[in-house]
Amino acid sequence: MFRRLPEDGRPVIRLSVDGQGIEARRGDSVAAALLAAGIVPSRTTPASEAPRAPYCMMGVCFDCLVEIDGMGSQQACLVRVREGMKVATQRGARRLVPV
Amino acid sequence: MTDSFDVIVIGAGPAGMAAACSAASNGARTLLLDENAGPGGQIYRAIAASPFKSGRILGHAYWVGENWINRLKRSGAEHRPRTTVWSLRATGDGVEIGTLGDGVAQILKARQAIVATGAMERPMPVPGWTLPGVMTVGAAQTLLKSSAMVPQGEAVLAGTGPLLYLFARQLIAAGAPPALVLDTTPRANRLRALAHLPSFIASRYFFKGIGLLAAVSRRAPVVRDVTSLAIEGAERAMAIRWRTDAGWQERGCDLVLLHQGVVPNIDLWSSAGCRAAWNDGQACWHAEIDSWGQSSEAGILVAGDGAGIGGAEVAAIRGVLAGLQTAHLCGRIDAGSRDLQARAAFQALARLLRGRDFIDAAFLAPRWSRIPEAETLVCRCEEATMGDLVAAVRDGAGGPASLKTFSRCGMGPCQGRQCGLVVTEALAAALGRPPAEIGHFRSRPPVRPIPLGALAAIPATDEEIGSVVRL
């Protein structure tokens, strides 16, 4: 859906999505990393399990919700990738993390 | 790091950076808060950490933002990035601002707040707009600016407004020309805009605009006078259909990028009680403010596109004016000094506003893409359709609040950001009342998600605890 331009010289960051390793660049949002890796859809809706992917990339649509390091409903477009981050696509309503 | 300031500015786009510079340079103890990792807002996104070394692809209008970044660094204002603001309240004695940064929530106090939270793209509810592979033009532009990413495969741009063509040109410069540009600018707008043509021709926007259109048309097919759109696909966008006078046509695609102008983000300032007024020419809400940006709530000013759409340069000027006024209200400068410094700003503002009326009239999104047909989703979060809205009205819903109760429209995580304007206009049409009378969803804090644990961990006084629990 999106490809990286050769001009981009930023260092590579490795993270996993649903257990699969992907490569991103330092400074990428998680949403950008998902789109570059072709992980679309990245969630399904609680209301009807409809497939969704990032829409606005600025935090006002909440369609990019994913689970990051165990915490659900994180807006992927507002979180920077980190080395070793564990991302999971979110199917339906978020799972509540046990206290 | 103290938690009490003269002025807290919320949002580090052009208006916020200008406001922080203006307040700080006039002696106000100034804090600039922003949710992003770096300053720049949306228009200058990632400018301080760009993946690009050359300015070729993004162009001058982007890179000029570096001036503000440099001025911000020298201004003496404290800049706190990666900090989300989830509440704003005027206390009669100043303001209280709820922040969240690194998982820690705080209540910051200041004498004055300047809200510069900018704009978002107007929602464009066409059939299929919620499919994966459908995004806003701004979203794709953010991916270009922050991550040097461009569409792969066949990308179709659809909608109206200068950003459509600006982005098309950036894509062309990046070697990824769009497969098709579908321009929905209504013919009727041309007539309405004509009245403002002389001031537009005399403005700075005229030559920029002509060049842009020509540059894009040379390298990408452009279809104008599009009167309807539908995006098809099951798991993702696979094709787009459009209608012109010649009838319906269809094309396969991998990505659809929608844009029909930008509208103010009213969530934070309206949650603080600042009054909004309906702007008929732009079909959206704007803040009721005076020429300095003073809102209807003492202690709160609103500057930039978040108050009313005027573009980046106008936003910066309004930021300067708000900064000056807050420095004055905090007693750092007298009215004479404020007015002297403001003179140049007001003159620049008058020059920059010349020609905006034309742009507003020419590119106002058509009604068919502001108020959708029956099966199209209005509320993306709760998946309420236009048909659900009409049924709710039939059942007695008389405004946004009752519509919410009947249909869940507006109850999802986006807090009505994506459906709000559609709801106001659709209800106005269904009930035969003006949008100003219909009003908007009531915005309440927290206006950003905040974990309960972070909220609970905010230190509370004995009095606050005693009001809930018997100590």
Side-chain angles (χ1 to χ4, degrees):
Chain A
M1 191 167 282
F2 285 89
R3 62 180 171 87
R4 296 188 186 275
L5 290 174
E7 279 91 333
D8 188 357
R10 297 170 299 158
V12 168
I13 301 262
R14 286 177 189 81
L15 59 155
S16 73
V17 182
D18 290 340
Q20 301 272 62
I22 65 164
E23 276 189 6
R25 301 290 167 89
R26 188 169 67 203
D28 277 350
S29 62
V30 173
L34 291 171
L35 288 167
I39 298 171
V40 168
S42 50
R43 83 171 180 117
T44 61
T45 62
S48 76
E49 293 180 19
R52 295 290 174 94
Y55 169 79
C56 77
M57 290 301 295
M58 61 173 283
V60 295
C61 79
F62 290 76
D63 258 324
C64 64
L65 300 180
V66 292
E67 204 176 275
I68 296 178
D69 291 334
M71 179 83 92
S73 287
Q74 299 298 289
Q75 289 171 279
C77 70
L78 295 179
V79 179
R80 307 276 123 217
V81 295
R82 228 183 350 89
E83 187 71 32
M85 182 183 266
K86 290 186 170 57
V87 178
T89 53
Q90 185 158 288
R91 309 277 153 178
R94 69 173 276 199
R95 295 179 310 153
L96 289 175
V97 177
V99 172
Chain B
M1 198 161 57
T2 51
D3 65 357
S4 184
F5 293 87
D6 282 337
V7 182
I8 294 182
V9 181
I10 304 163
M17 288 192 287
C21 287
S22 164
S25 68
N26 279 291
R29 264 187 57 244
T30 308
L31 173 66
L32 174 61
L33 300 172
D34 189 72
E35 67 186 353
N36 288 306
Q42 302 310 321
I43 187 169
Y44 307 131
R45 196 80 183 263
I47 200 167
S50 176
F52 293 104
K53 289 186 186 52
S54 151
R56 184 183 63 87
I57 290 172
L58 295 175
H60 173 77
Y62 173 78
W63 290 105
V64 75
E66 280 188 314
N67 295 332
W68 278 114
I69 310 294
N70 294 330
R71 283 157 89 167
L72 181 66
K73 285 198 190 114
R74 296 192 308 262
S75 69
E78 181 187 332
H79 171 221
R80 219 174 274 180
R82 280 186 307 272
T83 304
T84 304
V85 170
W86 49 270
S87 78
L88 169 65
R89 196 169 76 92
T91 60
D93 194 31
V95 291
E96 281 180 0
I97 294 171
T99 69
L100 180 68
D102 273 331
V104 176
Q106 267 190 288
I107 308 289
L108 302 182
K109 296 187 196 325
R111 298 167 69 182
Q112 300 283 328
I114 300 176
V115 180
T117 49
M120 54 175 245
E121 275 162 289
R122 179 189 295 280
M124 193 160 154
V126 298
W129 73 303
T130 57
L131 284 170
V134 181
M135 302 175 74
T136 61
V137 164
Q141 205 186 34
T142 288
L143 285 166
L144 178 64
K145 289 168 181 169
S146 310
S147 296
M149 283 162 57
V150 294
Q152 183 166 56
E154 310 275 282
V156 176
L157 271 54
T160 178
L163 188 62
L164 203 68
Y165 289 94
L166 176 65
F167 185 57
R169 185 169 64 180
Q170 288 173 324
L171 286 182
I172 290 165
L180 180 62
V181 177
L182 296 173
D183 192 328
T184 61
T185 310
R187 269 205 197 91
N189 282 10
R190 297 214 256 279
L191 213 61
R192 231 180 290 132
L194 226 56
H196 306 288
L197 192 58
S199 55
F200 178 66
I201 292 178
S203 80
R204 58 201 283 105
Y205 306 113
F206 179 64
F207 289 110
K208 275 189 191 180
I210 298 284
L212 194 52
L213 228 61
V216 172
S217 303
R218 272 199 295 275
R219 295 290 313 279
V222 176
V223 175
R224 305 180 76 184
D225 300 322
V226 170
T227 56
S228 191
L229 282 176
I231 304 166
E232 316 258 292
E235 286 291 296
R236 51 191 290 168
M238 300 289 285
I240 185 164
R241 293 190 303 121
W242 68 93
R243 188 182 65 193
T244 59
D245 283 351
W248 283 93
Q249 288 182 271
E250 177 166 344
R251 191 197 200 291
C253 61
D254 298 299
L255 188 64
V256 177
L257 301 175
L258 302 174
H259 178 79
Q260 52 177 16
V262 291
V263 295
N265 267 331
I266 74 170
D267 55 353
L268 185 64
W269 55 257
S270 85
S271 78
C274 301
R275 275 198 305 270
W278 181 258
N279 181 325
D280 256 332
Q282 293 180 345
C284 62
W285 299 100
H286 63 223
E288 262 186 31
I289 49 174
D290 71 8
S291 56
W292 299 106
Q294 177 64 55
S295 75
S296 57
E297 289 292 302
I300 301 175
L301 284 77
V302 190
D305 272 3
I309 303 302
E313 291 167 293
V314 167
I317 303 281
R318 293 209 159 119
V320 167
L321 293 170
L324 284 172
Q325 178 66 336
T326 53
H328 170 61
L329 290 171
C330 291
R332 302 296 181 185
I333 54 172
D334 62 24
S337 169
R338 176 201 63 182
D339 292 345
L340 191 64
Q341 293 183 65
R343 198 178 304 156
F346 280 119
Q347 284 169 350
L349 193 58
R351 267 194 331 267
L352 287 166
L353 288 175
R354 215 176 295 139
R356 290 298 315 189
D357 283 344
F358 176 87
I359 292 175
D360 288 350
F363 299 117
L364 179 63
R367 270 185 88 77
W368 63 262
S369 60
R370 281 161 37 209
I371 304 172
E373 304 272 273
E375 293 314 303
T376 308
L377 288 183
V378 169
C379 173
R380 296 176 62 102
C381 297
E382 297 295 322
E383 303 184 61
T385 65
M386 182 64 190
D388 294 332
L389 187 153
V390 168
V393 167
R394 213 177 40 228
D395 288 343
S402 49
L403 174 68
K404 198 187 249 196
T405 311
F406 283 35
S407 68
R408 292 196 62 85
C409 186
M411 276 182 150
C414 94
Q415 298 177 292
R417 287 176 178 88
Q418 294 300 318
C419 60
L421 280 177
V422 177
V423 163
T424 292
E425 290 208 278
L427 286 178
L431 295 166
R433 285 165 31 215
E437 218 178 280
I438 297 291
H440 53 80
F441 287 127
R442 183 79 182 271
S443 177
R444 294 181 194 278
V447 300
R448 286 288 189 282
I450 172 172
L452 275 177
L455 205 54
I458 298 173
T461 63
D462 279 352
E463 192 196 330
E464 287 166 336
I465 296 173
S467 70
V468 192
V469 167
R470 192 172 311 185
L471 283 176

